Amino acid sequence: MLRSSQPLTGPNRKRCREDEMLLGMVLDEGERGFIIDTRSAQAAKQARMTGGGTEPKSSYLQWRRLHRPLERGRPLQESFIKLMEACNDTSINMDRWLSRLESCRWLSHVKAALSTACLAAQCMDREEASVLVHGAEGTDTTLLVTALAQVILDPSCRTLAGFQGLLEREWIKAGHPFHLRCAHSAYSHARLRQEAPLFLLFLDCVWQLSRQFPFSLEFSERLLLTLFDNAYASAYGTFLCNNEKERQVGCLCKVKESTHCLWAWLNQPGEKKKYLNPLYSHNALVIWPSVEPQSIQLWQGLFFRWIRSSQYLDEAWAEIQRLVEGN
């Protein structure tokens, strides 16, 4: 699996021989690969007017391009805001609540992300083909798809240590601009153009996987909630800044010098135990999630956490853990 930004073909359909050669070397003679573009065909075409574009078929003969559009900007943020407004409105009746849930389209975004990740995973697992994923800059929906596909395909990414490595590799070091995307929460009156809850969407999709495969992920919902909290407001430096260069020692932010790492705190024996799934059993198989409407559910543990107590659920998990350890 490969990821990149869009090719800079521009309106004159420029070619990059080095890029063509690089992708050509990935495939043996007679093999084919798939390019999954997370923009619509129309959006990719419009990007040529500003210098971007797509890989021309004539120059990438062994690659087949598939467009699977995913929202990444203002529409996704507005969807998040509308969902939180609906979740916090306890005065509405059932019909009104269901209508508002549908109109915010958050679950549609979850479905689209999981579907695209499954497509990438199927190309690799069932077609035994190489896959290149990109959108525009390659730091938003691209990372969403590649990270989810790895959780689906690779059992090591479903362990606590492997999942931390996945986040470090596919989100932090790959340059997801956390500072811009997570500048405010859904409760802010600001409407920043760059803000979008891509990382939250990823965490929601992982929660969907954990719900459909409750024995296959070593970590619990509590870890996902902690990651969400730290992405938006953290005492640690792991999710600060917009890229690895800004975090490096000697740069203006001095993140590496002035902050501690979230992973070091999570991996302390006393803390680590809190984030483990007591029902976990190693599953070496690929986990194929259902994306049918009946299978995608609202993440109540996150979206209702401020208006509904989780006391009884926490007590139930503690009892399950006690019983497992007793055996």
Side-chain angles (χ1 to χ4, degrees):
M1 179 176 287
L2 310 169
R3 50 175 163 75
S4 72
S5 59
Q6 65 180 330
L8 303 180
T9 55
N12 296 325
R13 295 179 180 271
K14 293 180 293 185
R15 294 179 63 179
C16 179
R17 304 286 184 180
E18 293 80 5
D19 186 62
E20 295 169 15
M21 184 181 300
L22 183 63
L23 288 186
M25 292 175 64
V26 172
L27 306 176
D28 293 329
E29 186 176 353
E31 288 186 338
R32 66 171 181 168
F34 293 91
I35 298 173
I36 298 179
D37 196 320
T38 60
R39 304 166 296 176
S40 66
Q42 181 64 28
K45 184 177 179 180
Q46 290 175 347
R48 288 209 304 265
M49 298 300 103
T50 55
T54 59
E55 296 80 359
K57 293 181 181 179
S58 59
S59 302
Y60 298 83
L61 296 175
Q62 292 178 266
W63 293 86
R64 178 186 175 190
R65 189 171 68 249
L66 305 172
H67 289 277
R68 293 295 184 273
L70 298 175
E71 294 288 359
R72 71 183 187 105
R74 187 67 171 270
L76 189 62
Q77 178 70 6
E78 291 296 332
S79 176
F80 179 36
I81 292 171
K82 289 178 181 178
L83 174 59
M84 293 311 304
E85 289 174 347
C87 289
N88 286 292
D89 188 350
T90 57
S91 64
I92 56 177
N93 59 32
M94 177 63 75
D95 291 341
R96 180 63 178 154
W97 155 248
L98 293 175
S99 176
R100 289 181 66 175
L101 178 61
E102 182 180 7
S103 65
C104 76
R105 300 192 65 249
W106 180 261
L107 296 183
S108 297
H109 298 309
V110 172
K111 178 183 185 300
L114 282 172
S115 298
T116 306
C118 283
L119 173 63
Q122 286 171 351
C123 289
M124 296 185 67
D125 183 68
R126 297 180 178 177
E127 300 289 333
E128 297 184 346
S130 296
V131 174
L132 168 63
V133 183
H134 73 66
E137 291 82 10
T139 56
D140 288 297
T141 52
T142 299
L143 307 182
L144 173 64
V145 173
T146 57
L148 280 176
Q150 290 177 67
V151 176
I152 291 169
L153 288 170
D154 188 354
S156 69
C157 292
R158 302 194 288 266
T159 65
L160 180 60
F163 190 66
Q164 291 177 23
L166 176 74
L167 297 179
E168 187 74 24
R169 180 177 69 251
E170 295 297 317
W171 287 92
I172 297 170
K173 291 188 175 178
H176 180 65
F178 282 97
H179 177 68
L180 290 174
R181 300 292 182 263
C182 303
H184 298 91
S185 70
Y187 296 99
S188 172
H189 294 295
R191 293 292 188 269
L192 302 181
R193 188 173 61 87
Q194 298 273 16
E195 192 163 10
L198 268 302
F199 187 63
L200 167 58
L201 182 58
F202 167 72
L203 296 177
D204 197 327
C205 290
V206 174
W207 178 82
Q208 303 289 337
L209 291 172
S210 71
R211 191 188 60 79
Q212 294 189 29
F213 301 92
F215 305 105
S216 296
L217 277 68
E218 187 185 27
F219 49 88
S220 66
E221 178 188 46
R222 186 170 184 175
L223 175 68
L224 302 178
L225 294 172
T226 299
L227 292 171
F228 166 76
D229 290 340
N230 279 271
Y232 279 89
S234 180
Y236 301 87
T238 304
F239 296 115
L240 294 182
C241 302
N242 290 312
N243 52 59
E244 194 65 8
K245 180 181 178 180
E246 292 183 5
R247 300 184 191 99
Q248 291 303 316
V249 175
C251 288
L252 185 62
C253 297
K254 296 184 178 181
V255 170
K256 298 286 186 181
E257 301 173 48
S258 307
T259 66
H260 295 283
C261 177
L262 175 63
W263 313 134
W265 172 65
L266 289 178
N267 290 322
Q268 295 178 97
E271 289 295 324
K272 181 177 179 180
K273 184 178 178 181
K274 300 176 184 178
Y275 301 99
L276 294 176
N277 174 13
L279 302 178
Y280 172 69
S281 177
H282 177 73
N283 178 7
L285 302 176
V286 178
I287 54 174
W288 296 111
S290 169
V291 293
E292 295 299 318
Q294 301 90 331
S295 301
I296 305 297
Q297 294 189 12
L298 184 65
W299 185 5
Q300 298 184 36
L302 173 66
F303 297 117
F304 290 153
R305 65 191 293 202
W306 293 282
I307 61 172
R308 190 175 65 186
S309 172
S310 62
Q311 173 188 350
Y312 300 115
L313 185 60
D314 293 340
E315 291 174 352
W317 274 107
E319 180 65 15
I320 291 172
Q321 191 164 20
R322 187 186 67 79
L323 292 173
V324 170
E325 291 175 351
N327 292 331

